[in-house]
Every structure is written in structure tokens, then in C-alpha cells.
């Protein structure tokens, strides 16, 4: 199969240089070698520190990785049975529709448009859209300041959609393939601000190599209810994942994963969402 994986060299270099945040997951490798019995293929982000990150040594870390690993275990899969696959924002529905992944845990907001194509378990996290600007830039203090600015977001994300339809229709929106590419642009002053969920932006801002360089706006521009994407109509899997998420919250594993992955970035997360309840 293989979806297009072309990424700007700079972004690859950046993604590789990102250091891991939080505790490591004991997730398996990326090769999908199916040697001993059943495997499960899970879509995650590869370039979002604190959420879903492939580290230079080939490990996978982040809150989504920990949630996915917990859910997989409840479904009967050991970490070694997990095959991780990159799920970029614009590719998520297609990956599920083509059966390239079993489920997706990739900062994937539940919304009506996506629900036409896929189903969602959860939600398991409530985040909010925000902006990241250079630390010395005081020209963006409220959302409307984004109009006429060069704003970066990612193709296929709710963040890009929100900018176009309501937040700052006059902004010069650049849509890149991944957030790490936006970050490179922000650092190099090719763009003025990048926008996506505060959970993701906090992870970038906390990276050692970026300390003191960027700041979050703190705008809470939207509610982003992270769900676990499954194939449309796969109610059995959705129900099993919902049960796993309930258990993850009840036994304290959710809180542990939050602290391990968001703690280093100082991200103030919302309390665990109620399963089946999307906050609009
Ligand atoms: N949560 C938003 C979305 O699902 C933005 C983050 C992302 O692109 O993964 O579109």
C-alpha cells in the first residue's frame, strides 16, 4: 500500500531531532513482521512530542501511544503485537477505509464531517485549538490579530478548517503536511504563527531545542474531542475500545499517562471526558 510519505528534508531532520517527552511506551516496531501470531496495526502521529512521536532510536512515545497500548492490551494484544503506522492528519479516514490500520489514535478530533466516513470510540481527551508564535512577537494577542498574518496549519486538520471558516478568514493560511513543517517555518520566520491543538503546541514549545523560542496564545479557540477512529460500522470494536477507555480512567492509568506525557510540557489538560459525550 503505502501512502505518500514525501516530507521536506528540513522537516524530517527536525522530527528526528525532537527529543522524547514523557515515559516511553513499550510499543513494538514499525516493520509489521508477522512472526508469532496475530498483530494489530494502529495509526499514530510520528512527529508530535508528548502525543505521538517516533524517536530516533525507533521507539514510540506520547499520550496517544500510551492510550493505544493500553487499549490494545485490553483487546488481547501485547505491546510486541502492535505494528505502528504513521497517520498524518489528511490520511486518517483513508487509512481506515482502506483497512490499512485497525484503529487510529492520532490527536483525531471527533466531528460530523469525519463521522460520515469513520466511527469514533471515546472521546479520551478534550483539547482546544490555540496558536504558537515566536516568543518575541507581541503582535498576536487575540484571535482576530491572525487576520492578514501568515498562519500555518496542516492539511486535513480541524485547525485549518476552523481558521478558514470562522477564526480568521483573512489570514494567509499555509497548509503543510505535518506540524513539524509548520514549526520549521515559524522558527525561520517564513510564517508568523502556527495553529493546532494546545496539547500539541505545548509539546513542541517544551522541546529542549526550542526552549524560550515560542509561546502559546492561550486562546482556547475550539473544543477538540479526541476519539479513536475505527472503520465505519465496526460497532463491536468501537464498543470494546470504549470499555477499555473507561477502564483506563477508572484504574488510574489515564491519569498516569497524562502526567508522564503532558507533565514535562506543563500542559494543563482537562479532566477525563465522559465516554460517548462530545463537548461542542
Ligand atoms: N485535533 C485536530 C484534528 O484532528 C488537529 C490535530 C491534528 O491534525 O491531528 O484535526
Amino acid at each position: 500500500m503505502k501512502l505518500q510519505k514525501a516530507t521536506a528534508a528540513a522537516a524530517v531532520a527536525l522530527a528526528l531531532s525532537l527529543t522524547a517527552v514523557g515515559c516511553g511506551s513499550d510499543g513494538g516496531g514499525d516493520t509489521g513482521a508477522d512472526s508469532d501470531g496475530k498483530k494489530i496495526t494502529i495509526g499514530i502521529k510520528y512527529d508530535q512530542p508528548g502525543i505521538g512521536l517516533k524517536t530516533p532510536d525507533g521507539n514510540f512515545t506520547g499520550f496517544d501511544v500510551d492510550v493505544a497500548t493500553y487499549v490494545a492490551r485490553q483487546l488481547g494484544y501485547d505491546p510486541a503485537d502492535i505494528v505502528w503506522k504513521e497517520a498524518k492528519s489528511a490520511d486518517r479516514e483513508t487509512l481506515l477505509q482502506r483497512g490499512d490500520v485497525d484503529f487510529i489514535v492520532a490527536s483525531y478530533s471527533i466531528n460530523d464531517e469525519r463521522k460520515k466516513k469513520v466511527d469514533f470510540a471515546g472521546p479520551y481527551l478534550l483539547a482546544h485549538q490555540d496558536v504558537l508564535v515566536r516568543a518575541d512577537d507581541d503582535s498576536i494577542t487575540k484571535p482576530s490579530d491572525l487576520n492578514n498574518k501568515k498562519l500555518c496549519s496542516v492539511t486535513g486538520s480541524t485547525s485549518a478548517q476552523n481558521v478558514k471558516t470562522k477564526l480568521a478568514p483573512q489570514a494567509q493560511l499555509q497548509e503543510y503536511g505535518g506540524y513539524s513543517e509548520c514549526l520549521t517555518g515559524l522558527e525561520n520566520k517564513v510564517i508568523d504563527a502556527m495553529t493546532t491543538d494546545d496539547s500539541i503546541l505545548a509539546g513542541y514549545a517544551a522541546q529542549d531545542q526550542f526552549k524560550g523560542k515560542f509561546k502559546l496564545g492561550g486562546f482556547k479557540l475550539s473544543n477538540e474531542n479526541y476519539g479513536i477512529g475505527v472503520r465505519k460500522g465496526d460497532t463491536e470494536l468501537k464498543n470494546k475500545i470504549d470499555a477499555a477507555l473507561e477502564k483506563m480512567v477508572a484504574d488510574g492509568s489515564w491519569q498516569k499517562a497524562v502526567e508522564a506525557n503532558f507533565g514535562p510540557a506543563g500542559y494543563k489538560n482537562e479532566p477525563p471526558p465522559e465516554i460517548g459525550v462530545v463537548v461542542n
Side-chain angles (χ1 to χ4, degrees):
M1 62 125 253
K2 291 292 173 224
L3 292 173
Q4 179 215 350
K5 276 197 171 176
T7 313
V12 172
L14 172 78
L16 292 174
S17 73
L18 292 169
T19 42
V21 174
C23 74
S25 148
D26 45 359
D30 194 24
T31 54
D34 202 3
S35 52
D36 57 5
K38 56 192 180 119
K39 298 273 181 190
I40 189 157
T41 305
I42 306 176
I44 54 164
K45 289 292 172 68
Y46 274 16
D47 68 343
Q48 294 179 185
I51 305 263
L53 182 71
K54 184 175 184 183
T55 58
D57 59 5
N59 280 319
F60 298 89
T61 68
F63 184 66
D64 281 350
V65 172
D66 288 351
V67 169
T69 304
Y70 186 98
V71 167
R73 203 185 274 288
Q74 297 306 308
L75 297 174
Y77 297 89
D78 287 335
D81 299 327
I82 298 173
V83 178
W84 301 106
K85 189 178 272 295
E86 184 171 26
K88 292 187 174 189
S89 298
D91 299 339
R92 293 174 291 200
E93 290 83 30
T94 311
L95 284 168
L96 285 168
Q97 287 174 321
R98 286 167 35 160
D100 292 338
V101 292
D102 292 297
F103 60 86
I104 289 185
V105 193
S107 59
Y108 198 8
S109 299
I110 301 171
N111 71 16
D112 290 343
E113 201 53 39
R114 292 170 179 168
K115 281 203 296 199
K116 289 179 194 159
K117 297 178 180 167
V118 303
D119 284 340
F120 287 99
Y124 64 93
L125 189 77
L126 176 60
H128 306 281
Q129 187 174 351
D130 200 357
V131 296
L132 192 73
V133 297
R134 286 182 295 277
D136 59 0
D137 183 352
D138 293 326
S139 68
I140 300 171
T141 57
K142 54 185 184 308
S144 59
D145 292 338
L146 294 168
N147 283 307
N148 302 315
K149 294 280 188 187
K150 290 195 205 87
L151 184 61
C152 187
S153 198
V154 162
T155 312
S157 68
T158 52
S159 325
Q161 197 58 27
N162 289 342
V163 168
K164 286 188 272 196
T165 56
K166 46 187 173 202
L167 297 176
Q170 307 306 324
Q172 299 169 43
L173 181 68
Q174 322 257 333
E175 291 182 63
Y176 291 178
Y179 296 105
S180 50
E181 287 146 272
C182 284
L183 199 66
T184 307
L186 183 61
E187 198 180 17
N188 297 338
K189 305 196 176 176
V190 177
I191 57 155
D192 302 311
M194 67 182 274
T195 182
T196 186
D197 307 336
D198 48 9
S199 46
I200 299 170
L201 296 174
Y204 284 129
Q207 293 294 289
D208 276 346
Q209 68 268 43
F210 300 133
K211 285 242 164 76
K213 285 197 173 171
F214 304 123
K215 61 186 177 192
L216 273 85
F219 296 158
K220 291 207 174 169
L221 298 167
S222 69
N223 289 328
E224 303 295 326
N225 297 265
Y226 286 9
I228 296 187
V230 300
R231 264 184 295 288
K232 187 138 192 70
D234 197 346
T235 312
E236 195 185 333
L237 180 61
K238 172 186 141 38
N239 290 343
K240 282 185 186 163
I241 294 176
D242 277 343
L245 291 172
E246 303 251 18
K247 190 169 174 209
M248 187 177 185
V249 173
D251 73 9
S253 303
W254 186 91
Q255 188 57 32
K256 256 170 76 180
V258 156
E259 283 162 21
N261 293 293
F262 295 139
Y267 175 63
K268 300 257 173 299
N269 63 285
E270 301 275 2
E274 207 179 308
I275 299 300
V277 179
V278 168
V279 182
N280 287 308

